[in-house]
Amino acid sequence: MMNSPEIKSKLPNLPVSIFTSMTQLARKHGAINLGQGFPDFSMDEKLQALVFKAMKDGHNQYAHSNGNPFLREVISSKINSLYGFQPDPETEITITPGGTYAISNALTAVLRDGDEVIVFEPCFDSYIPNIRIMGAVPVTISLRHPDYSIPWEDVRSKITSRTRMILINSPHNPSGSVLSETDIEQLRSIVEGTDIIIMSDEVYEHLVFDGEKHESILRYPDLFARSFVAFSLGKVLHCTGWKIGYCVAPPAFTKEFRNHHQFNVFSVSSALQQGIAEYLQEPQTYLGLPAFFQRKRDLFLEGIKGSIFQPLQTKGSYFQCVQFPEEVAKSSAAFAETLTETPGVAAIPLSAFYADGTDNRVLRFCFAKEDETLLMATERLRKI
Ligand SMILES: Cc1ncc(COP(=O)(O)O)c(C=O)c1O
């Protein structure tokens, strides 16, 4: 073998992603995979047809770097109808290859060596590596178990002159908690009069249940003035593999975001953008999502009644967390592996969402699945 030059890793000692390892394990044991967060049902054929039509109509070359203007207009109207604020499609909306990218590109645009970013654990796995890669410092704060609310007093105590950003995520992955109006007030009182920027991950914006309202940062002009807000169309349209989303931010932030975006990726699939723009003109395509997913959550909850699993409250997202008794297993990672083998249901241990592996004996199940899948999985879980 020829010798290759050494690369000094910018992200040393990263474990294999829990999603990759649990999915591999699920395959090996033929388990029902409620681990990774993606639907196992088909997306709307009408959307597929619109994208196919867009290809036939010639939407096959590089799209506008900021995103298809028609799609940006449709998104602006959608935001206005949901949150009472109409962002300027020209200067405040950028189409991205997914929500993860929208976050990483915003972090790239903002963070410098030594900046501190307040980040709440458990958290989506991309946040901390993306902070570190910029030479910035993640300042982690644990959400309160078992309701996974933000301990605002801890936030206050961790603010320093180097705090550059607070990264929030509502509805929250993995816990299913959502921010309330009181949380927004707390956030406001902390950032007011500072240079702190808010990164708000709202990829599950439509997945809020039991009549709760999604507290989007876009509802609050004073907070929006210091925010990047990330969205995922893959989550909204049941096509996570399309990797398409957008970032909404005030003009000066968007300008800086686009400076990096044009050299990172330049533009996003033109046919997808055109097809999605036409599809989203009809609000029913997303207004039915809360009821659709709430029914699935309730089906899962009904299915695990009488089992050893104690459900925690899921107010949003497509994840249901459950706690298992101490006598069953000590480690949730080990228990998740056991469950994948027998009775054959894959889940993600919440400990994987903490840098220090905090373990409250909680597993996360994704209920964005066919009813049959959920019925089969819960039948197996009841047998433990
Ligand atoms: C909290 C959170 N943010 C971002 C993403 C990624 O969104 P996308 O697939 O559009 O990159 C996910 C996907 O699981 C997520 O759960």
Side-chain angles (χ1 to χ4, degrees):
M1 246 221 330
M2 306 289 276
N3 281 339
S4 302
E6 189 194 349
I7 297 174
K8 195 161 176 296
S9 177
K10 290 186 183 178
L11 292 171
N13 310 320
L14 271 192
V16 176
S17 143
I18 186 74
F19 305 107
T20 309
S21 60
M22 289 310 294
T23 297
Q24 271 171 1
L25 204 63
R27 278 209 196 104
K28 183 174 159 203
H29 296 296
I32 301 172
N33 192 355
L34 303 191
Q36 208 172 350
F38 61 86
D40 73 343
F41 44 84
S42 328
M43 57 186 297
D44 193 344
E45 281 181 14
K46 199 171 142 204
L47 173 55
Q48 291 172 352
L50 285 169
V51 169
F52 188 45
K53 178 174 174 300
M55 282 180 191
K56 289 203 290 190
D57 288 349
H59 291 272
N60 299 304
Q61 307 309 328
Y62 293 125
H64 192 298
S65 176
N66 302 338
N68 176 320
F70 174 36
L71 176 58
R72 282 184 280 141
E73 266 172 37
V74 171
I75 288 171
S76 173
S77 304
K78 172 177 182 284
I79 291 172
N80 191 30
S81 70
L82 292 169
Y83 308 124
F85 161 63
Q86 183 122 34
D88 183 346
E90 270 302 302
T91 59
E92 296 184 309
I93 299 174
T94 310
I95 310 300
T96 64
T100 315
Y101 169 93
I103 297 162
S104 72
N105 197 63
L107 299 191
T108 305
V110 171
L111 297 179
R112 288 166 189 269
D113 242 13
D115 283 347
E116 293 179 0
V117 181
I118 294 197
V119 55
F120 301 99
E121 286 190 309
C123 65
F124 184 57
D125 64 347
S126 79
Y127 299 164
I128 291 179
N130 272 301
I131 294 166
R132 287 222 167 97
I133 215 162
M134 300 315 302
V137 182
V139 176
T140 55
I141 295 177
S142 285
L143 296 174
R144 289 194 199 98
H145 171 77
D147 68 355
Y148 296 93
S149 58
I150 296 181
W152 290 106
E153 280 321 305
D154 291 0
V155 180
R156 279 176 216 285
S157 72
K158 298 246 173 144
I159 300 280
T160 73
S161 56
R162 289 188 302 278
T163 309
R164 189 64 179 127
M165 190 179 257
I166 299 180
L167 205 167
I168 54 173
N169 168 217
S170 179
H172 184 247
N173 174 14
S175 75
S177 65
V178 300
L179 292 183
S180 66
E181 254 179 76
T182 315
D183 290 310
I184 296 290
E185 277 164 29
Q186 291 281 354
L187 178 62
R188 173 178 290 125
S189 72
I190 287 172
V191 296
E192 226 165 29
T194 71
D195 280 339
I196 297 172
I197 289 170
I198 298 165
M199 176 74 244
S200 183
D201 178 347
E202 303 188 13
V203 301
Y204 298 105
E205 64 173 325
H206 295 294
L207 278 54
V208 177
F209 311 133
D210 307 316
E212 295 247 2
K213 107 175 176 239
H214 171 50
E215 285 295 349
S216 175
I217 286 294
L218 301 177
R219 292 182 190 276
Y220 301 97
D222 60 324
L223 294 178
F224 175 64
R226 56 169 77 240
S227 298
F228 290 90
V229 191
F231 296 92
S232 170
L233 289 163
K235 299 285 183 193
V236 173
L237 305 170
H238 312 315
C239 53
T240 57
W242 282 12
K243 293 300 293 188
I244 181 162
Y246 50 99
C247 178
V248 188
F253 284 18
T254 295
K255 184 166 176 286
E256 215 38 56
F257 184 93
R258 290 174 179 173
N259 283 346
H260 293 267
H261 172 71
Q262 70 177 318
F263 300 119
N264 276 340
V265 66
F266 186 72
S267 68
V268 177
S269 161
S270 42
L272 292 187
Q273 292 193 66
Q274 182 65 24
I276 290 173
E278 286 176 25
Y279 185 74
L280 284 180
Q281 281 182 289
E282 175 49 67
Q284 256 331 101
T285 51
Y286 49 86
L287 291 180
L289 289 171
F292 177 79
F293 279 108
Q294 182 172 327
R295 201 187 63 77
K296 291 199 177 284
R297 177 202 63 177
D298 293 345
L299 196 67
F300 181 83
L301 285 174
E302 193 55 38
I304 60 164
K305 267 193 187 151
S307 76
I308 61 161
F309 297 106
Q310 179 65 37
L312 305 182
Q313 195 173 22
T314 283
K315 292 183 174 176
S317 82
Y318 43 48
F319 303 109
Q320 176 65 53
C321 286
V322 302
Q323 193 163 31
F324 57 86
E326 203 168 356
E327 54 277 16
V328 172
K330 293 272 177 286
S331 140
S332 43
F335 189 45
E337 284 186 21
T338 309
L339 284 182
T340 308
E341 216 177 315
T342 330
V345 182
I348 304 288
L350 241 68
S351 54
F353 296 87
Y354 292 87
D356 70 358
T358 295
D359 197 341
N360 293 305
R361 287 175 285 106
V362 177
L363 300 177
R364 186 199 80 172
F365 291 95
C366 172
F367 54 76
K369 306 291 172 190
E370 294 277 14
D371 289 3
E372 276 163 40
T373 317
L374 295 172
L375 290 173
M376 226 167 19
T378 50
E379 191 186 330
R380 291 184 186 189
L381 292 172
R382 279 197 307 273
K383 287 189 183 140
I384 301 161

